[in-house]
Amino acid sequence: MLDELMQHVSKRWYKFHWVLWVILNIAFIAAYIVSRKFPQLNLESTYGLNDAVIYMSVGILVYMLTVYWLIARSSLALASFVGSLMMVLPFMNVFNETHQSTSSLIYVVFWLFISVVVGMHGLVISLGAMLVSFIYILLEIEFDFANLKPMGLALILGPPIFAIFSYYFWRNRFISESSERVKKLSGQLKSHEQQLEILVQSITDGILSVDTSGKITLMNEGAAKLTGWTEKDADGIDVTNVLRLIKDPKSKEPLDKEQHPFTHVLKLHKQVSDTLILLDRQNKNIFISLAISPVIEDKTGNLSGAVAVFRDVTKEKAEEQQRAEFISTASHEMRTPVAAIEGYLALAMNDKVSKIDNHAREYLEKAHMSTQHLGKLFQDLLTSAKAEDGRLTSHPEVVEMGQFVTQLSEDLKFSAEKKGLKMELVINSPTDNSGVIDASSGLKTIQPLYYCMIDPDRVREVVTNVFDNAVKYTGEGSVTIGLTGNEQVVQVKISDTGAGIPEEDLPHLFQKFYRVDNSATRAVGGTGLGLFICKKIVELYNGNIWAESKMGEGSTFYINFPRLTTEKAEQLKNRPQATAKA
């Protein structure tokens, strides 16, 4: 309640307030000490510096240096106001001791100045403080009201007048600008809808909201500038006609309605975020960062629409392109000398070419391994640069994932067995374990047909990379490759029984150069680009990759691809080969 009555000003004025009270009390204490040190000056009788003054000033000084800061944590204004009330005590005491003589003038001046400072707390608080002071005067000071002197009259009438003028002075000049804006906004707005409209229109990013049928219900000025549509023209129009998006920079055709991100959000009720190309009303290409979220009603849980936030990232994309080109060029140029060094080292270690002692061979083997690691780094840099700017070659074709994963597991089992790990292949993850296949047994089982449109070479890179990571970070136990799916997606998952990944690291696993920092990762080399490249490859085929893990229980990486029906797969297989490739 008190905070609501107080007028809050800038913190620097409260600091000034605190410094002033500290200086005044130090001055009282210093004057009292001087009066005792030099009694011949008659300071005590002239200026009323008795023992009570020193007790009051020391008490106030202790408050300002200790308790003040404790109160200030919750209310700086309250702490300062209490200090102002406490300052009444020494000033009233010394004024009483001087009996309204001319020596009281200095105290009257100071007291009027204090009234000005107290005015910063607000009109109600200031007048309340003055009332407390007046009551103290009536109780403690023996005034003869019939013979009031100018000093006494100034002490009674001056502070309230000064406090009122001080209040308006502080209010007009030093009230916090943010508080003033809030008051102004609160006074102008009449409804929640108006507040929401002003908030949305003040955001520079583009904002679009649609209903459950995909018709635009709201568009802010930022969205209008980016799309080239006016708010009036776009109202009620299908969002796919206004927000025309291109996923592949090489393609000039916008996504159709079924491929549009808004369609996925409205169907699946899940958030979508991506960097795409916006084709505005004048057919100009603009790179945008787009995030679309479904709007779910709190009470019913039903979908009521979707909201998109997007912004122009053309400049950032151009800078990213320049960085990618530099990395690509540098990596390409460096691979040649590194390959030459690796070749010469291999020759040096060949007994048919040269004879070297065991110590020299050990050094050369370490140099050879480091050179191979460096070559892998340059290759990963080159691949990541191509993946970022859309230059990564891809030749998608219809692939039956069950056969693909079974064959791939046969190739991968040797790296697991070499480390003493057991490897399993799980098809369709049945509850009775009838689909569990030991990769070394060669057994066959009936399994569903999972068709996908992917480049098998690229997806082999992804599965191999994730599998190799699982083997590297698993000390003992097993690594499992699983395959399952439903009508919409096919899912490949790689699970291990390793140490696990900390929860705080999971959202960052697929970022460029990111590596989990613990004792296990420090012992195993890596470029920090593998999972980033995997994510880019999976996204080429409208897929998704993520990880789940618990410390001490291992990790599981999930890879989802859109599933093709058997009829669709047969149609694509029968098309000419040139048409099927992208």
Side-chain angles (χ1 to χ4, degrees), residues 113-128:
F113 179 69
I114 289 173
S115 302
V116 172
V117 176
V118 174
M120 73 165 60
H121 298 302
L123 185 61
V124 175
I125 299 299
S126 300
L127 294 179

Side-chain angles (χ1 to χ4, degrees), residues 13 90 136 140 143 168 176 185 237-238 260 322 337 367 449 527:
W13 292 104
Y136 183 91
E140 296 295 331
F143 273 131
Y168 288 103
S176 169
L185 186 62
I237 301 296
D238 192 292
H260 201 280
Q322 291 176 352
L449 297 175
T527 63

